[in-house]
Amino acid sequence: MATFSHLAYFPVRRSSCRDSYEPNKQNLSNIKIDGTSKKPATKVEMAGVATTSISMTLLGNDYVTEQQARQNIPTTKQSVDHFRQGFSIEGGVGYRQRVVIRSYEVGPDKTATLESVLNLLQETALNHVWMSGLLSDGFGATHEMMRNDLIWVVSRMQVQVDQYPIWGEVLEIDTWVQASGKNGMKRDWLIRSQATGHVFARATSTWVMLNRKTRRLSKMPEGVRGEIAPWFIEKQAITDDVPEKIIKLDNNAKYVNSDLKPKRSDLDMNHHVNNVKYVKWMLETIPDDILESHQLTGITLEYRKECGSSDIVQSLCDPEDGMFIERLKQENQDTSLLDGFSLAAGILENGVFLGSFEKRQLRYTHLLQTNGNLKDEEIVRGRTVWKKKPEPSPFASM
Amino acid sequence: MATFSHLAYFPVRRSSCRDSYEPNKQNLSNIKIDGTSKKPATKVEMAGVATTSISMTLLGNDYVTEQQARQNIPTTKQSVDHFRQGFSIEGGVGYRQRVVIRSYEVGPDKTATLESVLNLLQETALNHVWMSGLLSDGFGATHEMMRNDLIWVVSRMQVQVDQYPIWGEVLEIDTWVQASGKNGMKRDWLIRSQATGHVFARATSTWVMLNRKTRRLSKMPEGVRGEIAPWFIEKQAITDDVPEKIIKLDNNAKYVNSDLKPKRSDLDMNHHVNNVKYVKWMLETIPDDILESHQLTGITLEYRKECGSSDIVQSLCDPEDGMFIERLKQENQDTSLLDGFSLAAGILENGVFLGSFEKRQLRYTHLLQTNGNLKDEEIVRGRTVWKKKPEPSPFASM
């Protein structure tokens, strides 16, 4: 299980006067708060920074540093976050955010990269929690979790991309949570075109609780359930999601990248390797010709262990049913046999959603592991699904 | 000179219905346009995508692909971009954008990385141009530049960071352009705290015109000057900016990283290595203990040549006045002599702005070059300036 977790569920949120949005306005005496309480929030002046709706007593602390003032975590539920263009949906417990794909979030093909999509999932999850008023500390805990020394960690993540948004495109990202068994939580996302409503991507993730000190899994205390259960919405972003086992690769894997070392810029706020770096390490094992001719339509990640800054990592990758697909590919055959196989595999795994995908899919199994002294230790297992890129439009480059 | 250029001045802008912002609204018939013309823009329905203010005749083309519809480049000047929270300032020719620092834009110390700052400079520059109505093609040209086969390339960039914004902090980024000599252009930026107005960072860049076919520098045609001159504002983000020569390092440099190979994810839309990757390659030569104890307060980049996807790159780095500072550092002396030296250097280079910086600065010279067959070729020269990180507040981790 990965540190993505600590970040991605209940994080620090820092923001100054974020509920005010009026162009050209610098006047801090004029801050508007759009909270559900409809009461004006307390305003605190500290070190030249104006803050809104920070309750110092709830922070259990008489001192407010400049950083805490800039952090500005709300203690009551908010319904609108003007600065992030976020607002509550589904009767106040779901979250929707408008996002524009930025120039540096696209790759050479001018569409958003998978890394950007993953980043936006993390960001909207955090902003959802920020608006909940439940956030207690900087490492992902509600008030009750904090009292019980508990943090969230992600155990599984699945993303399906039907189409990648292009540079400058406006998206709407919905996210919500629900129960996963007795002690876990699920978070889902839908990414849509703001203009047409077309669903570009769907994602789901599973979270469990870890004791921060013992590093062991924990049951969900009743107090925590009481806090988060009102936020649960029973709705699936990916329908008929039946997790399919990802086998553990060994050194017979076809593609192996060794001696991967995290760089400083790969570390997140917990000094662990960030989730997006995991995915980059996985994708770098995929052969260049596949990356050129195909695009990733699905990725599943099963987290086992955090990767620290001093770990040396190995990235293994093996085509699923490899010899069969590889042989056909080498012979450059585009047979109906291959189409039939891949289509069947797509439906088997992904149900209704993948039914409309193009037929020529490739699937790879992945493993990231640390080269330990005594034995290798798994960090994350993965599966990626790829489809042929559409032929470029004759007018696309005009 | 680098390909950052092609992207960062007059790029493709794609967006659907970007001038409409009303939470929960999906109704495309209700689009509001906030243009300076105050006239409703033409609305075109194409392939299920509603577009505003695209002039097909100006695109010189009777066909509009779905991508062009999503791209949605305005042909008239706009004064507000609701989706990006951008609006015009300085009598309509400057641009200001509100930006919230996202969770994935910060590093292990929970402040925005330099890479994120550079990305935001690029993004706001692009959005400024998008709003100008001058944008013609997808590779950075106005209508007149397009007719003359000209593109913009960046020749120099300087960024000064006084303080790094933290996760969730709301920024206001101003950007504007002015003449640089007879044939060039300058683009400046100011990054401020939205709440307090404190200036976090300042930046300036110089641009020249290149003929796309001959790859030679070009004079600025009168037609192009006529298009862009009305946008010029004579104002300096960095006052007293007297470019200081950056010497060319050779193989005697103290720190050398060789065999650097661009990865797919390092390439921009022109299939050249992106600007942020250059900076990463530079910073990775800085010793870890300096990265831990210091933060970058200034960077200057002088671009010489584009770096392609197949180039093998070498990153050289040398401390300025190296032996003097290094020796004192090794002896762990914090003498007034060292303080005096560094302060003087800071004032010499950076004038008023750096006057308020902490005194203990380090300076490094950088060079990225390709290992050519016949001779090494310079990609970019750089200088970085570093100051001691402030001591952490006793309450910072609460």
Side-chain angles (χ1 to χ4, degrees):
Chain A
M1 282 161 293
T3 180
F4 173 51
S5 56
H6 308 193
L7 293 181
Y9 191 62
F10 283 103
V12 165
R13 293 264 32 110
R14 301 182 185 84
S15 175
S16 306
C17 314
R18 50 190 285 165
D19 285 299
S20 148
Y21 173 56
E22 291 182 343
N24 278 319
K25 187 183 60 60
Q26 286 285 334
N27 183 359
L28 295 178
S29 65
N30 200 14
I31 291 166
K32 286 188 298 187
I33 306 292
D34 276 302
T36 48
S37 68
K38 302 292 179 202
K39 288 184 297 186
T42 318
K43 206 168 114 194
V44 182
E45 286 284 338
M46 178 67 55
V49 179
T51 68
T52 55
S53 52
I54 284 187
S55 164
M56 282 175 281
T57 49
L58 267 171
L59 285 172
N61 183 5
D62 291 327
Y63 303 93
V64 176
T65 63
E66 189 195 334
Q67 178 167 321
Q68 285 172 321
R70 290 157 72 186
Q71 181 172 336
N72 188 23
I73 300 173
T75 54
T76 56
K77 193 169 149 182
Q78 310 289 312
S79 62
V80 181
D81 180 346
H82 288 285
F83 283 119
R84 290 180 184 76
Q85 306 199 15
F87 48 93
S88 60
I89 54 171
E90 304 271 1
V93 295
Y95 176 73
R96 175 173 298 167
Q97 186 176 332
R98 296 266 171 93
V99 173
V100 185
I101 294 296
R102 295 177 176 170
S103 54
Y104 53 88
E105 295 175 327
V106 301
D109 63 355
K110 298 179 191 169
T111 65
T113 60
L114 178 68
E115 292 88 339
S116 298
V117 172
L118 293 172
N119 280 335
L120 290 174
L121 299 183
Q122 173 181 314
E123 176 69 9
T124 48
L126 294 173
N127 295 341
H128 182 201
V129 180
W130 188 90
M131 282 184 59
S132 74
L134 288 177
L135 196 54
S136 172
D137 80 333
F139 280 115
T142 63
H143 307 297
E144 276 299 319
M145 288 173 70
M146 190 80 165
R147 279 191 269 280
N148 288 276
D149 267 324
L150 296 175
I151 56 173
W152 287 108
V153 289
V154 63
S155 63
R156 180 173 180 273
M157 180 126 192
Q158 187 185 0
V159 184
Q160 293 179 341
V161 183
D162 182 36
Q163 187 182 351
Y164 286 87
I166 59 178
W167 181 16
E169 196 153 34
V170 183
L171 309 179
E172 284 184 341
I173 306 182
D174 289 3
T175 184
W176 64 93
V177 291
Q178 61 194 293
S180 172
K182 273 180 82 172
N183 296 303
M185 196 186 66
K186 258 188 78 180
R187 175 177 284 283
D188 282 20
W189 294 266
L190 272 182
I191 302 184
R192 273 194 306 267
S193 155
Q194 186 271 338
T196 66
H198 174 73
V199 175
F200 285 132
R202 298 159 185 270
T204 186
S205 57
T206 311
W207 302 79
V208 290
M209 276 182 196
L210 196 75
N211 185 292
R212 188 176 1 208
K213 290 177 179 162
T214 64
R215 312 305 287 179
R216 293 169 65 96
L217 291 181
S218 163
K219 288 191 175 179
M220 187 185 292
E222 280 308 312
V224 177
R225 195 186 314 278
E227 285 179 318
I228 65 173
W231 294 84
F232 289 169
I233 302 173
E234 275 207 44
K235 197 175 83 167
Q236 318 304 325
I238 299 177
T239 48
D240 301 326
D241 172 30
V242 182
E244 194 187 3
K245 186 177 165 55
I246 301 178
I247 58 160
K248 180 176 187 292
L249 296 182
D250 58 27
N251 290 329
N252 295 320
K254 181 160 178 165
Y255 307 109
V256 180
N257 283 1
S258 292
D259 282 330
L260 303 170
K261 288 168 198 158
K263 289 175 180 158
R264 241 185 101 78
S265 55
D266 302 326
L267 303 183
D268 62 26
M269 290 178 256
N270 295 299
H271 293 253
H272 292 126
V273 173
N274 67 53
N275 195 45
V276 162
K277 187 66 185 184
Y278 288 166
V279 172
K280 279 192 178 174
W281 277 334
M282 284 187 184
L283 300 191
E284 281 164 12
T285 57
I286 303 278
D288 274 348
D289 62 325
I290 301 294
L291 292 173
E292 285 294 336
S293 59
H294 285 67
Q295 71 185 29
L296 189 145
T297 66
I299 185 166
T300 306
L301 301 162
E302 289 179 4
Y303 300 92
R304 306 288 164 136
K305 175 187 165 291
E306 293 163 344
C307 176
S309 59
S310 60
D311 286 329
I312 311 289
V313 177
Q314 196 174 41
S315 178
L316 311 174
C317 171
D318 211 35
E320 279 188 30
D321 306 286
M323 296 313 294
F324 177 68
I325 288 173
E326 288 290 309
R327 183 173 53 78
L328 285 176
K329 195 164 71 71
Q330 279 160 19
E331 292 168 8
N332 201 21
Q333 290 182 359
D334 186 5
T335 64
S336 58
L337 179 64
L338 177 57
D339 281 0
F341 164 80
S342 300
L343 179 60
I347 287 175
L348 190 68
E349 181 183 11
N350 298 299
V352 177
F353 176 69
L354 278 189
S356 62
F357 275 6
E358 274 195 44
K359 296 176 183 177
R360 286 163 293 177
Q361 289 189 343
L362 298 178
R363 289 155 57 97
Y364 291 89
T365 307
H366 301 264
L367 176 66
L368 296 183
Q369 60 185 12
T370 55
N371 293 138
N373 284 335
L374 296 171
K375 65 183 181 83
D376 294 340
E377 286 194 312
E378 290 184 75
I379 299 169
V380 55
R381 294 187 194 183
R383 172 182 293 113
T384 55
V385 184
W386 303 75
K387 71 171 178 185
K388 266 280 208 210
K389 281 185 185 164
E391 296 298 321
S393 149
F395 307 115
S397 63
M398 285 187 308
Chain B
M1 285 160 293
T3 180
F4 173 51
S5 57
H6 309 191
L7 293 182
Y9 192 64
F10 283 103
V12 164
R13 293 265 33 109
R14 301 182 185 85
S15 175
S16 305
C17 314
R18 49 190 285 165
D19 285 299
S20 149
Y21 172 55
E22 291 182 346
N24 279 319
K25 187 182 61 58
Q26 286 286 331
N27 184 358
L28 294 177
S29 65
N30 202 15
I31 291 166
K32 286 190 298 190
I33 306 292
D34 275 302
T36 46
S37 66
K38 302 292 178 202
K39 286 184 298 184
T42 317
K43 205 169 114 198
V44 182
E45 286 285 338
M46 179 67 57
V49 179
T51 69
T52 55
S53 51
I54 284 186
S55 162
M56 282 175 282
T57 50
L58 268 170
L59 286 171
N61 183 3
D62 291 328
Y63 301 93
V64 176
T65 62
E66 188 194 334
Q67 178 167 320
Q68 285 171 323
R70 289 157 73 185
Q71 181 172 334
N72 189 22
I73 299 173
T75 54
T76 57
K77 194 170 150 182
Q78 310 290 311
S79 63
V80 181
D81 180 346
H82 288 284
F83 282 118
R84 289 180 185 76
Q85 306 199 16
F87 48 93
S88 60
I89 55 171
E90 304 272 0
V93 294
Y95 177 72
R96 175 173 297 167
Q97 186 175 331
R98 295 267 171 93
V99 173
V100 186
I101 294 296
R102 295 177 176 170
S103 55
Y104 54 86
E105 294 175 328
V106 300
D109 63 356
K110 299 178 190 169
T111 65
T113 60
L114 177 69
E115 292 88 338
S116 298
V117 172
L118 293 173
N119 280 335
L120 290 173
L121 299 183
Q122 174 180 313
E123 177 68 10
T124 48
L126 295 172
N127 295 341
H128 183 202
V129 180
W130 188 90
M131 282 182 60
S132 74
L134 286 178
L135 196 55
S136 172
D137 80 333
F139 280 115
T142 63
H143 306 297
E144 275 301 317
M145 288 173 70
M146 190 79 166
R147 278 191 270 278
N148 289 277
D149 267 322
L150 297 175
I151 56 173
W152 287 108
V153 290
V154 63
S155 63
R156 179 174 181 273
M157 179 125 194
Q158 186 186 1
V159 184
Q160 293 179 341
V161 183
D162 182 36
Q163 187 182 352
Y164 285 87
I166 60 178
W167 181 16
E169 197 154 34
V170 183
L171 310 178
E172 285 184 340
I173 305 180
D174 289 3
T175 183
W176 64 94
V177 293
Q178 61 195 293
S180 172
K182 272 180 83 171
N183 297 304
M185 194 186 68
K186 258 188 79 181
R187 175 176 284 283
D188 282 18
W189 293 265
L190 272 183
I191 302 184
R192 274 194 306 267
S193 155
Q194 186 271 337
T196 67
H198 174 73
V199 175
F200 286 132
R202 297 161 186 272
T204 185
S205 58
T206 311
W207 302 79
V208 289
M209 275 183 199
L210 195 75
N211 185 292
R212 188 175 3 209
K213 289 177 181 162
T214 64
R215 312 306 288 179
R216 293 170 67 96
L217 291 181
S218 165
K219 288 191 174 176
M220 188 185 291
E222 279 309 312
V224 176
R225 194 185 315 278
E227 284 180 319
I228 66 173
W231 294 85
F232 289 170
I233 302 174
E234 274 206 46
K235 196 175 85 167
Q236 317 302 325
I238 299 176
T239 48
D240 301 325
D241 172 31
V242 182
E244 194 188 3
K245 187 175 163 58
I246 302 176
I247 59 160
K248 180 175 186 293
L249 297 181
D250 57 27
N251 290 329
N252 295 319
K254 180 162 178 165
Y255 307 108
V256 180
N257 283 1
S258 293
D259 281 331
L260 303 169
K261 287 168 197 157
K263 289 177 180 158
R264 241 186 103 78
S265 55
D266 303 324
L267 303 182
D268 62 24
M269 290 178 259
N270 295 300
H271 294 253
H272 293 126
V273 173
N274 67 54
N275 196 43
V276 162
K277 186 66 185 181
Y278 288 166
V279 173
K280 280 191 177 175
W281 277 334
M282 284 185 182
L283 301 191
E284 281 163 13
T285 57
I286 304 279
D288 274 348
D289 62 325
I290 300 294
L291 292 173
E292 286 295 334
S293 60
H294 286 65
Q295 71 185 28
L296 189 146
T297 66
I299 185 166
T300 306
L301 300 162
E302 290 179 3
Y303 300 90
R304 306 289 165 135
K305 172 186 166 296
E306 292 162 343
C307 176
S309 59
S310 60
D311 286 330
I312 311 289
V313 177
Q314 198 174 37
S315 178
L316 311 174
C317 171
D318 211 34
E320 279 188 29
D321 304 286
M323 295 314 293
F324 178 69
I325 288 174
E326 287 291 310
R327 183 173 52 77
L328 285 176
K329 195 165 70 72
Q330 278 160 21
E331 292 168 8
N332 202 21
Q333 291 180 359
D334 187 3
T335 66
S336 58
L337 179 65
L338 178 57
D339 281 0
F341 166 80
S342 299
L343 179 60
I347 287 175
L348 191 68
E349 181 183 10
N350 298 298
V352 176
F353 175 69
L354 278 189
S356 62
F357 273 8
E358 275 196 43
K359 295 174 183 177
R360 286 163 293 176
Q361 288 190 343
L362 298 178
R363 290 156 56 97
Y364 291 89
T365 307
H366 300 264
L367 175 66
L368 297 183
Q369 61 184 11
T370 55
N371 295 138
N373 284 335
L374 296 172
K375 65 182 182 81
D376 293 340
E377 286 195 313
E378 290 184 76
I379 300 169
V380 56
R381 293 187 194 183
R383 172 181 294 112
T384 55
V385 184
W386 303 75
K387 71 171 178 187
K388 266 280 208 211
K389 280 183 186 166
E391 297 297 320
S393 150
F395 307 115
S397 64
M398 287 188 306

